[in-house]
Amino acid sequence: MKCKTIHKNLIFFLDEDLPKREMEQIRIHLSECKKCAAFSEDLKKTLQIINKENSVETNPFFYTRLKTRLEKHPEPAQALQEKPVWIKIVQPVFFSVLLISGIYFGFKIGTPSHIKTASANYTTEEILPYLNEMQSEPLEEFLME
């Protein structure tokens, strides 16, 4: 068998989940190949560590301590029932009003204010000289002719 095939089936070999024929072939290969034998030992140690960590020991007094703690504290369902009915109504109404007012003021802030337009006289006297630079540049005017 090839080493790749051994590596794929090694975990099943260690758990003894393979047919007898394949188990024997892997045993023969492990006795001949030192690399695969070393890998098998490392995998076996790793599986032992994992199995050791999976087994959890429970403390025998855990249940009694948990039971006393549960008896000391009131049930959470009783705490929810003690809430007044008007709080259940006022809270959603308050948040709805808050949401609607936020949307309204957002639209008010977002709309532009009324801009006063300049008169036509102001435009011709103040802005047009800056737009028409040819009148202020005699050299360019001379070259254009």
Side-chain angles (χ1 to χ4, degrees):
M1 290 184 94
K2 293 182 179 180
C3 291
K4 280 187 176 182
T5 310
I6 297 296
H7 287 215
K8 287 180 184 178
N9 293 330
L10 195 57
I11 196 160
F12 301 113
F13 170 76
L14 294 174
D15 288 339
E16 298 179 1
D17 288 341
L18 292 175
K20 291 185 180 188
R21 181 175 167 256
E22 287 183 38
M23 293 280 285
E24 191 60 36
Q25 289 176 351
I26 292 175
R27 278 193 196 105
I28 293 169
H29 183 82
L30 290 177
S31 65
E32 296 171 355
C33 182
K34 292 182 182 181
K35 289 182 182 179
C36 290
F39 183 73
S40 172
E41 288 300 317
D42 288 342
L43 188 61
K44 190 183 296 185
K45 289 177 185 177
T46 305
L47 289 175
Q48 288 173 352
I49 292 171
I50 290 172
N51 288 335
K52 183 180 177 183
E53 291 296 321
N54 281 342
S55 62
V56 178
E57 295 179 18
T58 57
N59 190 342
F61 300 109
F62 174 75
Y63 177 72
T64 56
R65 282 186 268 152
L66 179 66
K67 186 177 177 183
T68 56
R69 280 189 183 177
L70 288 174
E71 288 172 353
K72 286 181 184 178
H73 295 290
E75 292 184 24
Q78 291 176 351
L80 292 175
Q81 291 175 355
E82 295 172 6
K83 198 175 198 181
V85 176
W86 64 274
I87 289 179
K88 293 178 183 178
I89 296 171
V90 171
Q91 187 177 9
V93 169
F94 173 72
F95 285 117
S96 299
V97 169
L98 188 66
L99 178 68
I100 291 170
S101 64
I103 292 171
Y104 173 75
F105 286 116
F107 277 118
K108 281 294 191 183
I109 291 171
T111 56
S113 61
H114 298 291
I115 301 172
K116 296 179 181 178
T117 57
S119 64
N121 194 14
Y122 175 76
T123 306
T124 56
E125 292 174 2
E126 298 292 328
I127 297 175
L128 284 181
Y130 293 111
L131 295 176
N132 189 2
E133 295 178 356
M134 295 300 284
Q135 293 175 357
S136 62
E137 303 287 334
L139 182 63
E140 290 177 1
E141 195 173 310
F142 173 74
L143 291 173
M144 292 290 285
E145 291 178 356

